[in-house]
Amino acid sequence: MTEIEADTAPALTTKGLTRKFGSFMAVDGVDVEVQEGEIRAVIGPNGAGKTTFFNLLTGHLRPSGGEIILGDLVISGRRAHEVARLGMTRAFQTTNIFPSMTVHENVVTALLGYSGRTLRFWKSPDASIQRRADEVLDMVGLSEDRGRQAGILAHGDQRALELAMALAPLPKIILLDEPTSGMSPYETQRSVQILQKIWRDLHLTIVLSEHDMEVVFELAHTVTVLVSGRVLATGEPGEVRANSEVISAYLGGVGD
């Protein structure tokens, strides 16, 4: 992957980010800076705090302390729909599509949702929305499936559809929660190629949580390792792979 120049303000920053559940500290003082146009992987063993961290970033949970900064705007505590409209969207680990709708209708519905509108079946959406839906389906390789019912797609294609839904509003940052979970080796490699193409074509900032280390080291510019809610290490993939503490805590026995 191309190196990222850190010559502008970070696209995403967290400062002392914490989240408690009762007496349990799930995220404990996490400081992260993600540069614009970077692919950042967040890895760690079960219970490391990755999902909680993502939920905090996207407004699905409120922080107990600390700040989340999108560009130069503090977004800590904003609701999920506000965060999305400010330019940070998410594709979840569990496929989050409308199975009875067509592939194209799923993307149109996502676009309308991000704009605060709903799909009215007696009225066709604007031509610009229709075109945008077609564009993102082409990006993820689903153009030929636009009229198919989403629920009958193969698992890898359903994940690609969810990616298209997250890409539809032209976000500045996209968060991917275990993007290759449950995929066959073929589907995994296809997903990696799609993500690389999207990153190149859209100049997106991507933050991903992923259990497949081959995917992490193929995609990421920078890797952050969380253990027990804290940052254990951050660095280039080769650095992190060679870090003895990381090997002991995680890479010697990879979990999700």
Side-chain angles (χ1 to χ4, degrees), residues 8-57:
T8 59
L12 177 66
T13 306
T14 68
K15 295 180 178 180
L17 188 63
T18 63
R19 173 66 194 205
K20 290 182 179 180
F21 296 98
S23 61
F24 174 64
M25 187 75 81
V27 172
D28 189 359
V30 169
D31 296 330
V32 167
E33 282 191 358
V34 180
Q35 301 303 323
E36 185 176 344
E38 179 183 353
I39 300 179
R40 171 69 62 95
V42 179
I43 67 172
N46 287 330
K50 303 185 300 295
T51 298
T52 302
F53 180 61
F54 271 41
N55 285 337
L56 291 169
L57 293 180

Side-chain angles (χ1 to χ4, degrees), residues 4 6 12 27 32 46 72 96 102 107 112 174 180-181 184 203 207 218 247 249-250:
I4 298 299
L12 177 66
V27 172
V32 167
N46 287 330
D72 57 4
N96 192 25
T102 68
V107 181
L112 291 172
I174 186 167
T180 68
S181 176
S184 68
H203 310 291
V207 182
E218 187 169 355
I247 292 168
Y250 182 55

Side-chain angles (χ1 to χ4, degrees), residues 205-225:
T205 303
I206 299 174
V207 182
L208 64 94
S209 171
E210 177 59 60
H211 70 282
D212 187 328
M213 290 301 100
E214 290 186 12
V215 171
V216 168
F217 293 123
E218 187 169 355
L219 280 174
H221 302 110
T222 311
V223 178
T224 293
V225 184

Side-chain angles (χ1 to χ4, degrees), residues 148-221:
R148 295 183 68 195
Q149 189 175 324
I152 66 173
L153 294 177
H155 176 68
D157 287 339
Q158 288 188 2
R159 299 304 301 269
L161 174 57
E162 191 183 19
L163 175 61
M165 292 165 71
L167 287 170
L170 291 173
K172 302 169 188 173
I173 302 178
I174 186 167
L175 274 63
L176 306 176
D177 197 352
E178 302 284 359
T180 68
S181 176
M183 290 188 183
S184 68
Y186 168 77
E187 289 174 325
T188 295
Q189 191 53 42
R190 178 171 171 260
S191 293
V192 167
Q193 291 169 353
I194 289 170
L195 290 173
Q196 289 172 329
K197 182 178 187 301
I198 287 168
W199 175 76
R200 286 194 305 267
D201 292 352
L202 299 182
H203 310 291
L204 269 179
T205 303
I206 299 174
V207 182
L208 64 94
S209 171
E210 177 59 60
H211 70 282
D212 187 328
M213 290 301 100
E214 290 186 12
V215 171
V216 168
F217 293 123
E218 187 169 355
L219 280 174
H221 302 110

